[in-house]
Amino acid sequence: MTKFTVISGSSSEELAKKLAKKLDANFIKSQLRIFPDGESKITFQKKPQKNKIIVIQSTYPPVDENLIQTLSIISKANEYATEVIAVIPYMGYARQDREFLPGEVITMKVIAKLFKSVGTSRIIVVDIHSMIGLKYFNIKSKNVTAIPDLVKYFAKLKLKNPLVVSPDHGGKERAKEFAKLLKTEYITLEKQRDRKTGKVEIKSTNFDEIIGRDLILVDDMISTGGSIIKATEFLKKQKCARVFVACTHALLRNGAEKKIKNAGVTKIISTNTIPGKTSLVDVSDTIAKAII
């Protein structure tokens, strides 16, 4: 009997299959039916063995739908498992980890309680937006990074004197680590966002070291692409060569991919935490190592 059984939600089926293969685990697909009123009905395709169960499901849009399905799968898995490990490659609501304005609900605190209430033994996430969010989990929790996986991809590209760029100070450490692994330099842009309107402006001055170099804009996630677009437009004015975007989670909402390309980005490379055209980097090996 294998040590693990991997049960996938509908949002992470391909990644779940890859993870099961890496762990030499049983794979069980969960069938999903959405009723006309929006309710989800989930059925396991076969009965799990009495062993450790890994439930893998990203909670990208529709976030609430994928979240309730994840919790439902974990709850059912608990009827069979000696331990339930929740792997949430992309954790929705991770940006709501504190009260920025008076009266705001800290949704990550609510979600942490929900995962515990359905019987999650431990939880693994990939490049969560803020580590503050994991502090709300009163179960074993671990964040793993996809940066080494992304760097491996970029190391194979024929880049001209690459320079890693963080679009803001919040991503400085991420860019620093990316540059270190790629054996190159990095810079950080000065970004200012209006908390109420969401409008983003780049406040940085000119950077001479940008001229003629291929740039890699590194971020943890891209939603509408506003920050990346502003950064690209600014960098293009500094007479750089090509601009690439590397991110773990490519949500790419509201036509973001087209807008980013129109701003001058050559290629967007993301991981398969969220499946899509840009998800060219597989993180199953990184997740497998975190489980073992």
Side-chain angles (χ1 to χ4, degrees), residues 95 193 198 200 221-230 249-261 268:
R95 287 173 286 183
R193 183 193 295 272
V200 175
M221 62 183 289
I222 301 172
S223 183
T224 58
S227 297
I228 293 295
I229 291 165
K230 287 281 185 184
H249 315 294
L251 291 160
L252 301 175
R253 311 304 291 175
N254 304 328
E257 185 179 0
K258 186 178 180 181
K259 291 173 186 175
I260 290 168
K261 293 280 183 70
I268 304 167

Side-chain angles (χ1 to χ4, degrees), residues 126 148 153 172 182 203 229 234 241 257 286:
V126 183
Y153 184 94
K172 181 180 178 181
L182 196 59
K203 295 291 185 181
I229 291 165
F234 171 82
E257 185 179 0
T286 295

Side-chain angles (χ1 to χ4, degrees), residues 133-174:
L134 285 187
K135 292 180 181 178
Y136 299 120
F137 287 85
N138 290 320
I139 54 175
K140 289 181 182 178
S141 60
K142 186 169 187 175
N143 178 72
V144 296
T145 181
I147 289 174
D149 298 311
L150 286 162
V151 170
K152 283 177 189 174
Y153 184 94
F154 276 89
K156 294 174 184 177
L157 300 180
K158 293 180 180 178
L159 301 177
K160 183 182 177 183
N161 193 15
L163 178 67
V164 177
V165 182
S166 172
D168 55 43
H169 279 285
K172 181 180 178 181
E173 290 305 312
R174 188 180 305 109

Side-chain angles (χ1 to χ4, degrees), residues 19 54-58 85-89 122-124 287 291:
L19 180 62
I54 299 160
V55 173
I56 178 165
Q57 167 103 317
S58 274
I85 303 163
V87 175
I88 316 298
R122 60 178 166 133
I123 189 164
I124 296 168
I287 293 171
I291 291 169

Side-chain angles (χ1 to χ4, degrees), residues 9-279:
S10 60
S11 74
S12 297
E13 191 177 322
E14 291 308 311
L15 179 53
K17 286 177 182 176
K18 286 181 168 134
L19 180 62
K21 192 174 181 181
K22 291 270 172 33
L23 294 170
D24 192 26
N26 295 317
F27 172 75
I28 296 176
K29 180 180 176 181
S30 55
Q31 283 187 321
L32 173 66
R33 182 183 174 192
I34 305 291
F35 289 103
D37 62 359
E39 288 184 4
S40 303
K41 183 179 178 65
I42 300 166
T43 309
F44 292 176
Q45 280 196 325
K46 57 184 177 181
K47 184 179 177 180
Q49 293 179 352
K50 287 275 184 183
N51 58 4
K52 292 182 181 180
I53 292 178
I54 299 160
V55 173
I56 178 165
Q57 167 103 317
S58 274
T59 55
Y60 56 81
V63 180
D64 295 348
E65 198 171 286
N66 281 326
L67 177 62
I68 197 70
Q69 288 168 18
T70 306
L71 295 169
S72 299
I73 293 167
I74 292 169
S75 180
K76 184 65 178 175
N78 248 304
E79 295 177 17
Y80 308 98
T82 57
E83 179 186 1
V84 178
I85 303 163
V87 175
I88 316 298
Y90 170 74
M91 175 64 81
Y93 287 110
R95 287 173 286 183
Q96 296 186 38
D97 61 354
R98 68 197 92 172
E99 192 174 345
F100 293 102
L101 297 171
E104 286 183 344
V105 175
I106 304 172
T107 313
M108 272 306 299
K109 188 185 285 189
V110 179
I111 287 170
K113 289 177 181 177
L114 288 171
F115 271 98
K116 186 177 181 181
S117 71
V118 293
T120 309
S121 306
R122 60 178 166 133
I123 189 164
I124 296 168
V125 296
V126 183
D127 283 328
I128 193 167
H129 187 69
S130 168
M131 291 300 289
I132 293 170
L134 285 187
K135 292 180 181 178
Y136 299 120
F137 287 85
N138 290 320
I139 54 175
K140 289 181 182 178
S141 60
K142 186 169 187 175
N143 178 72
V144 296
T145 181
I147 289 174
D149 298 311
L150 286 162
V151 170
K152 283 177 189 174
Y153 184 94
F154 276 89
K156 294 174 184 177
L157 300 180
K158 293 180 180 178
L159 301 177
K160 183 182 177 183
N161 193 15
L163 178 67
V164 177
V165 182
S166 172
D168 55 43
H169 279 285
K172 181 180 178 181
E173 290 305 312
R174 188 180 305 109
K176 184 180 179 181
E177 180 64 16
F178 198 104
K180 181 183 175 183
L181 293 174
L182 196 59
K183 297 178 181 177
T184 188
E185 302 88 36
Y186 77 97
I187 60 170
T188 304
L189 300 181
E190 190 79 39
K191 184 183 82 171
Q192 189 171 348
R193 183 193 295 272
D194 188 297
R195 283 267 180 224
K196 292 185 178 179
T197 65
K199 189 177 179 182
V200 175
E201 288 184 13
I202 303 293
K203 295 291 185 181
S204 305
T205 54
N206 292 355
F207 288 104
D208 291 337
E209 63 261 54
I210 289 174
I211 298 170
R213 299 178 74 171
D214 282 339
L215 308 182
I216 306 169
L217 266 170
V218 178
D219 216 338
D220 62 330
M221 62 183 289
I222 301 172
S223 183
T224 58
S227 297
I228 293 295
I229 291 165
K230 287 281 185 184
T232 302
E233 289 170 347
F234 171 82
L235 294 165
K236 283 289 184 180
K237 289 176 184 176
Q238 314 306 312
K239 299 179 181 178
C240 66
R242 296 175 296 177
V243 177
F244 294 86
V245 171
C247 74
T248 303
H249 315 294
L251 291 160
L252 301 175
R253 311 304 291 175
N254 304 328
E257 185 179 0
K258 186 178 180 181
K259 291 173 186 175
I260 290 168
K261 293 280 183 70
N262 288 342
V265 169
T266 300
K267 194 172 186 179
I268 304 167
I269 293 99
S270 65
T271 76
N272 57 351
T273 59
I274 297 176
K277 288 191 293 183
T278 67
S279 56

